[in-house]
Amino acid sequence: MNAEGASNIWYAGFEGFDASGNPKGWEVSNNIDVIQFETAPNLKTLSAAWNKKTANWLAKYVYIRTGGSLFATYGMSAFWHGFYPGYYLFFMSVPMMAFCERIGRKKLTPRFGNGKKWSPYGIVCIIATSLMTEYMIQPFQLLAFDWAWENWSSYYFAGHIVCVVFYLVVSNMPTPKTKET
């Protein structure tokens, strides 16, 4: 938000004027959608709402060019942040969460989801995304390997275990048949 404000002070965020001479807005420098980030029902939405310009760059220049490799994309993001082990522990754990979301979207969303963010299923997804992100992000904030490891072990690696169990259980469920129109 500070970067947005600094950009707007010298008009870098100004979109210009429309044909009638009215200002279009100040969204060019908008880099964070706080509401979308805080209520993200999945990791993809959460990532797209936080540091939007960098997420866009990573998608175009790493994710697409590596054939959709989450490890390459998040590895590049870790490298971008620096060389503290906490960055790598966090960014290398995120793909596991993404794999769970993908299998859940494929096998659970057709059963329970109605496409509405604020449905009971949508709210469960928002809470699960928030809790898993809070668990996974802690090494990013702690930086040191021993502190991060001690932190996760104080939770008995529950987030990682939940991801593995979720993936194993849900991947063995039958895929719902799609309705043909």
Side-chain angles (χ1 to χ4, degrees):
M1 289 185 169
N2 289 335
E4 289 176 34
S7 293
N8 288 340
I9 285 173
W10 57 283
Y11 293 92
F14 186 61
E15 294 178 54
F17 297 97
D18 63 15
S20 303
N22 298 318
K24 291 182 184 177
W26 292 87
E27 292 300 312
V28 173
S29 66
N30 183 346
N31 202 30
I32 300 168
D33 184 342
V34 176
I35 302 298
Q36 187 70 10
F37 177 80
E38 293 294 339
T39 62
N42 55 55
L43 188 61
K44 184 177 189 291
T45 304
L46 185 135
S47 296
W50 180 261
N51 209 351
K52 293 195 259 186
K53 308 299 185 205
T54 304
N56 188 28
W57 184 89
L58 284 168
K60 284 182 180 177
Y61 297 105
V62 182
Y63 184 77
I64 291 171
R65 291 181 181 195
T66 59
S69 171
L70 289 173
F71 287 106
T73 305
Y74 286 113
M76 180 65 203
S77 192
F79 180 74
W80 178 298
H81 282 85
F83 298 107
Y84 286 105
Y87 296 147
Y88 293 87
L89 288 171
F90 166 65
F91 283 114
M92 292 297 106
S93 294
V94 173
M96 180 172 40
M97 190 172 150
F99 295 144
C100 289
E101 285 184 355
R102 288 178 179 178
I103 198 77
R105 194 173 307 119
K106 180 180 177 183
K107 299 203 177 198
L108 295 179
T109 301
R111 288 183 169 86
F112 303 110
N114 61 4
K116 295 182 180 169
K117 184 175 183 177
W118 297 107
S119 67
Y121 177 74
I123 292 170
V124 168
C125 290
I126 291 168
I127 292 169
T129 299
S130 180
L131 290 174
M132 287 304 296
T133 303
E134 290 299 323
Y135 168 80
M136 293 289 184
I137 196 86
Q138 291 174 13
F140 185 95
Q141 297 162 331
L142 295 171
L143 300 176
F145 179 83
D146 53 338
W147 292 351
W149 196 261
E150 185 178 329
N151 179 276
W152 274 348
S153 55
S154 73
Y155 289 100
Y156 302 102
F157 297 94
H160 290 82
I161 293 168
V162 165
C163 282
V164 170
V165 170
F166 178 88
Y167 189 85
L168 292 173
V169 169
V170 175
S171 64
N172 287 308
M173 293 173 65
T175 304
K177 295 189 185 334
T178 56
K179 297 177 184 176
E180 294 186 29
T181 55

